[in-house]
């Protein structure tokens, strides 16, 4: 099913040219008590960002592992950082690679909406088996894009006056993305033996294709007690 996803990601440059929100990711991990030093960290779908977040984990003292469905994108991550452990794998369809290694942190940024419902379920089950006892899964996805925002710092003395706005779908029409909701993921995660451990909304200005603001949802999960 996902060949349109592979074609899209191998066929395009990292689409936004903007920085992925690794600062927001690291602040979120910090708030969960996940200190990176000495941990084993896996990023699932790391490809298009050339392992930037993983390299940051390595700089912070972690052993860093990454997967993507595209070997080409992994090659560019390898070129950017030869110390990363990288392996091609299609999450939700193929099991997570790297033998029996258990991970303290698994994160999946801007990826889950390329998986079908069944693939997300199978991915969560797999993650549950590959997290350490205290391990944490962090999921991030775009929850909304806001465009057409007209802000008038009004002469009436009101600080900000939003005149109009549109909540839109992702700008690039070729992108085979779908919208996910927090509620959908919470339900599936629970069925797969994962419990919610944290949430955060990251709002960023996003100067691309008419999008003014991008809302990114972060969710964290741990293994439910057996
Ligand atoms: C929006 S990019 C995100 C890249 C990176 N996580 C970041 O934050 O910059 C989406 C990535 O997910 C990968 N991808 C999509 N579906 C996947 C799957 N089922 N398993 C692994 N990688 C997948 C694509 O190849 C692409 O590299």
């Amino acid at each position: 099913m996902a060949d349109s996803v592979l074609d899209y990601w191998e066929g395009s440059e990292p689409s936004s040219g903007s920085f992925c929100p690794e600062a927001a990711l690291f602040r979120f991990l910090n708030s969960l008590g996940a200190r990176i030093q000495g941990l084993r960290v896996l990023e699932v779908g790391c490809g298009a960002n050339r392992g930037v977040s993983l390299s940051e984990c390595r700089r912070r003292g972690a052993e860093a592992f990454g997967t993507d469905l595209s070997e080409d994108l992994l090659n560019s991550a390898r070129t950017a950082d030869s110390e990363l452990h990288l392996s091609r794998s299609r999450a939700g369809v193929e099991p997570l690679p790297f033998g029996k290694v258990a991970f303290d942190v698994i994160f999946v940024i801007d990826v889950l909406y390329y998986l079908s419902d069944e693939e997300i379920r199978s991915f969560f089950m797999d993650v549950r088996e590959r997290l350490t006892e205290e391990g944490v899964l962090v999921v991030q996805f775009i929850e909304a894009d806001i465009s057409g925002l007209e802000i008038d710092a009004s002469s009436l003395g009101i600080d900000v006056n939003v005149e109009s706005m549109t909540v839109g779908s992702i700008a690039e029409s070729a992108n085979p993305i779908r919208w996910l909701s927090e509620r959908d993921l919470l339900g599936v995660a629970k069925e797969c033996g994962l419990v919610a451990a944290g949430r955060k909304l990251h709002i960023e200005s996003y100067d691309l294709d008419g999008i003014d603001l991008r809302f990114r949802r972060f969710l964290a999960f741990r293994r439910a007690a057996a």
Side-chain angles (χ1 to χ4, degrees), residues 2 5-6 8-10 15 20-21 43-51 53 67-70 73 89-93 107-115 119 140 175 177 216:
V5 179
L6 185 61
Y8 177 79
W9 282 105
E10 286 193 340
S15 56
C20 284
E43 178 173 9
V44 175
C46 66
N49 199 28
R50 294 187 301 141
S53 302
T67 69
D68 199 274
L69 63 79
S70 161
L73 294 178
S89 148
R90 179 169 288 184
V93 176
F107 59 88
V108 51
I109 306 291
D110 237 353
V111 174
L112 272 194
Y113 19 47
Y114 298 107
L115 279 64
E119 288 166 358
Q140 183 254 267
N175 192 338
I177 202 168
R216 295 181 182 269

Side-chain angles (χ1 to χ4, degrees), residues 43-112:
E43 178 173 9
V44 175
C46 66
N49 199 28
R50 294 187 301 141
V52 167
S53 302
L54 281 178
S55 295
E56 180 59 26
C57 289
R58 222 171 45 64
R59 278 192 288 278
R60 294 175 186 222
E63 194 178 0
F65 297 75
T67 69
D68 199 274
L69 63 79
S70 161
E71 193 63 53
D72 280 3
L73 294 178
L74 287 177
N75 279 335
S76 75
R78 266 184 205 107
T79 305
D81 184 345
S82 61
E83 303 279 308
L84 301 176
H85 307 287
L86 298 171
S87 180
R88 201 215 63 83
S89 148
R90 179 169 288 184
V93 176
E94 297 160 303
L96 291 171
F98 309 115
K100 294 199 183 314
V101 172
F103 298 99
D104 304 289
V105 174
I106 298 178
F107 59 88
V108 51
I109 306 291
D110 237 353
V111 174
L112 272 194

Side-chain angles (χ1 to χ4, degrees), residues 144-149 164-168 206 210-215:
D145 279 337
I146 308 288
S147 53
L149 200 58
S164 71
M165 65 179 212
T166 310
V167 179
Y206 196 80
I211 300 173
D212 297 313
L213 294 176
R214 174 157 278 187
F215 285 44

Side-chain angles (χ1 to χ4, degrees), residues 124 184-195 221:
F124 279 171
D184 295 337
L185 291 183
L186 290 175
V188 182
K190 192 171 172 198
E191 287 165 22
C192 297
L194 295 167
V195 287
F221 300 96

